[in-house]
Amino acid sequence: MPVIQWLQLPQEVLLHIFTYLSPTEKANVRATCSYLRALVDHPSLWKHSTIVFKSIGIFNARFWDTLQSRKISSVEVTRVTLKQFKKMTSSLPDLTSVTMDSCLKGEILQGLRPLVNLQQLHLTDCSNVTDQDIFSEIALFQQLTHLSLCRVSFSGVLPLTSIVLLQNLYSLSLHSKEGIIPERALQYILFRLPKLRELSLAIGNMNKWKLSLCFNVPDNFVATAEEQPCISRLQLHKLELMNSSCASLSNNAFDQLSTLKSVSLRHYKYLQHEEFIETLLLKLPHLTELRIEWAAPFVPIMSPICSKLEKLSVVGTKISNATLSWISRSAAQLKCLNLSFSHGYDEDLVKSFPRLFPHLQNLYLSNTRLTEDALVVLANLYSLRVLDISNNLHLTPEAILAFRKMTSNRIGLILERPIESVKYCCW
């Protein structure tokens, strides 16, 4: 098609085409002419984009004008001074999401105040700021829906309780530097945040009873004239526990968590104690997703459990043939299985996947030992749509091509994935 006709396409059509371009491709299109530059800067193409600032001081006024025209709403900042941070907040006053991926300083935290529309705040290193300073500033943003605080040192009960002022909070992550969160304060806020649905805790030094206490209806140990009302039941849908040495939870805690649909256990030390995995499946009737990552191995003791589990991740964790067979009988409708970086099972078990997991739609075997014979057998997973075999040194290009032909390209193969993609901002 001649260039003149291509440019005469309706703007709506061109904008839709540009949504499929990568940031680099958009930049190339933008550099061609003023008309396409204006189109590429249209806010609809950038509303789901996050701008990553590794250094703010190098940008000029035209750069900030461009971001304003795109109505950028999400940024991630790696290294910044107070002056540079104020420049960013004054140039982008409509920001709704900010991630500080560096060691936070108190004056930088105060620089957030102009962002009156801020809804999501993620601070990956709070080790140099007191909890009093952190929560006194955060309490000003009562429109927040997502709050993530990593490497926090808790000095006592009262600073943390100010989170109850964030009545719109949907997601909360508290990752303690010392592995301890004041259980009474956590208990207090959980039952006074009625919209909270997602909770992530790094709690390395909290035992079963302290953690269970957090999920029990609290006494009125803090009394103020403007105290938020206490809800009778938690409504959490997603729970993540990191670095935990907690063996299990009390029955009362499980009762309060009965609405959970997703549970993640990262760096969990005692999965085998008190049949924790079996108890999760028994006590949480709505559980559809279970993630076990870089955790201790577990061997089921109970008979298979009828569960609604549809997604299972066992990443970087030892899992045996017997355990996988038990899972297949306990989760008959499993649709997604992630065994990346895991070990302990053999090739014969993988060849049994079409029989054990006939409904699989997504299978992730990154950084695992997968032979050509096993790959051929996986073609019999007729519901499979995504297969991750990245970083596998045992598969030749010829074997992969033969698999594509066998499956008529109905399965999307993931052949490359950077190792860094398995890392997390906070451990």
Side-chain angles (χ1 to χ4, degrees):
M1 182 181 293
V3 174
I4 187 65
Q5 294 185 19
W6 186 79
L7 290 177
Q8 289 175 346
L9 288 173
Q11 288 189 3
E12 294 79 5
V13 174
L14 291 175
L15 287 173
H16 183 73
I17 293 172
F18 292 163
T19 61
Y20 294 93
L21 301 183
S22 68
T24 301
E25 291 168 337
K26 289 178 185 176
N28 291 337
V29 172
R30 187 179 186 274
T32 57
C33 67
S34 59
Y35 175 68
L36 291 181
R37 180 171 67 246
L39 277 185
V40 169
D41 287 342
H42 194 278
S44 64
L45 297 181
W46 302 95
K47 60 183 178 180
H48 299 303
S49 299
T50 297
I51 303 300
V52 180
F53 292 106
K54 295 184 178 180
S55 178
I56 292 181
I58 62 175
F59 302 118
N60 57 24
R62 180 178 294 181
F63 171 82
W64 295 112
D65 290 342
T66 299
L67 294 190
Q68 283 182 343
S69 67
R70 295 177 181 178
K71 296 185 179 180
I72 296 298
S73 61
S74 176
V75 298
E76 179 179 330
V77 181
T78 300
R79 186 178 68 254
V80 65
T81 65
L82 177 59
K83 181 179 179 181
Q84 293 169 343
F85 195 74
K86 287 183 176 180
K87 175 64 177 177
M88 184 192 75
T89 55
S90 63
S91 301
L92 303 174
D94 297 324
L95 285 177
T96 60
S97 176
V98 173
T99 298
M100 297 291 296
D101 193 15
S102 60
C103 190
L104 186 67
K105 296 180 181 180
E107 60 268 20
I108 299 295
L109 192 58
Q110 295 174 6
L112 290 169
R113 292 180 183 180
L115 303 179
V116 295
N117 298 315
L118 191 64
Q119 296 179 7
Q120 301 187 25
L121 179 60
H122 309 280
L123 307 177
T124 63
D125 190 349
C126 302
S127 57
N128 282 350
V129 186
T130 66
D131 57 344
Q132 293 96 331
D133 290 341
I134 293 172
F135 293 115
S136 63
E137 288 294 328
I138 289 175
L140 301 175
F141 298 94
Q142 297 189 15
Q143 72 280 7
L144 277 181
T145 60
H146 294 69
L147 175 62
S148 176
L149 304 174
C150 299
R151 295 179 58 80
V152 185
S153 294
F154 295 96
S155 62
V157 171
L158 289 178
L160 181 57
T161 59
S162 62
I163 287 184
V164 298
L165 297 174
L166 309 179
Q167 286 292 290
N168 293 310
L169 209 58
Y170 180 89
S171 176
L172 174 63
S173 297
L174 296 173
H175 298 168
S176 170
K177 181 180 179 181
E178 292 81 14
I180 297 177
I181 301 175
E183 63 272 12
R184 285 288 183 180
L186 182 57
Q187 177 195 42
Y188 179 81
I189 65 174
L190 290 182
F191 283 87
R192 286 170 173 81
L193 295 173
K195 297 182 180 180
L196 190 67
R197 297 295 180 266
E198 299 178 356
L199 178 65
S200 175
L201 302 172
I203 40 152
N205 294 317
M206 292 181 71
N207 61 31
K208 170 182 178 178
W209 304 112
K210 287 186 176 182
L211 183 58
S212 295
L213 178 65
C214 301
F215 304 118
N216 285 283
V217 180
D219 301 323
N220 291 325
F221 71 100
V222 177
T224 64
E226 300 179 355
E227 184 175 293
Q228 298 291 341
C230 179
I231 59 177
S232 60
R233 292 194 63 83
L234 298 177
Q235 296 295 323
L236 291 176
H237 292 167
K238 185 175 182 179
L239 175 65
E240 178 184 60
L241 300 176
M242 297 173 59
N243 307 331
S244 179
S245 57
C246 174
S248 186
L249 295 169
S250 68
N251 288 332
N252 287 339
F254 273 118
D255 181 58
Q256 284 287 345
L257 296 172
S258 61
T259 56
L260 283 176
K261 299 178 181 179
S262 173
V263 172
S264 297
L265 307 172
R266 290 180 177 172
H267 292 262
Y268 221 86
K269 302 176 183 177
Y270 297 111
L271 291 180
Q272 191 63 39
H273 290 226
E274 302 187 34
E275 295 82 47
F276 189 30
I277 299 300
E278 295 99 312
T279 305
L280 285 175
L281 297 180
L282 283 172
K283 299 284 188 179
L284 304 178
H286 303 290
L287 192 68
T288 59
E289 180 179 21
L290 177 60
R291 300 170 66 92
I292 303 170
E293 301 181 358
W294 311 99
F298 74 97
V299 178
I301 299 176
M302 299 181 181
S303 301
I305 300 166
C306 183
S307 72
K308 296 181 179 180
L309 207 63
E310 295 182 357
K311 298 179 181 180
L312 174 67
S313 292
V314 185
V315 175
T317 302
K318 184 178 181 180
I319 184 167
S320 66
N321 287 358
T323 300
L324 279 170
S325 297
W326 180 88
I327 290 171
S328 71
R329 296 192 295 274
S330 298
Q333 299 301 315
L334 199 68
K335 297 178 181 178
C336 179
L337 178 61
N338 187 350
L339 297 176
S340 299
F341 292 90
S342 291
H343 61 284
Y345 56 92
D346 58 29
E347 181 180 351
D348 290 337
L349 195 282
V350 176
K351 291 180 178 179
S352 300
F353 277 8
R355 173 177 57 83
L356 297 176
F357 306 107
H359 304 290
L360 273 186
Q361 297 176 5
N362 299 68
L363 178 59
Y364 300 90
L365 299 173
S366 177
N367 290 273
T368 62
R369 181 183 177 87
L370 183 67
T371 65
E372 295 183 10
D373 291 342
L375 181 64
V376 169
V377 175
L378 293 181
N380 295 318
L381 286 166
Y382 297 112
S383 297
L384 197 65
R385 292 297 177 264
V386 176
L387 176 60
D388 185 349
I389 52 175
S390 58
N391 303 322
N392 192 308
L393 303 178
H394 304 280
L395 297 177
T396 64
E398 292 75 17
I400 294 172
L401 180 60
F403 180 81
R404 292 186 187 276
K405 292 181 178 179
M406 289 176 59
T407 58
S408 301
N409 285 316
R410 66 176 169 82
I411 300 175
L413 292 179
I414 301 175
L415 303 178
E416 294 183 7
R417 186 187 297 274
I419 299 296
E420 290 77 9
S421 64
V422 303
K423 297 181 180 179
Y424 309 104
C425 65
C426 181
W427 295 85

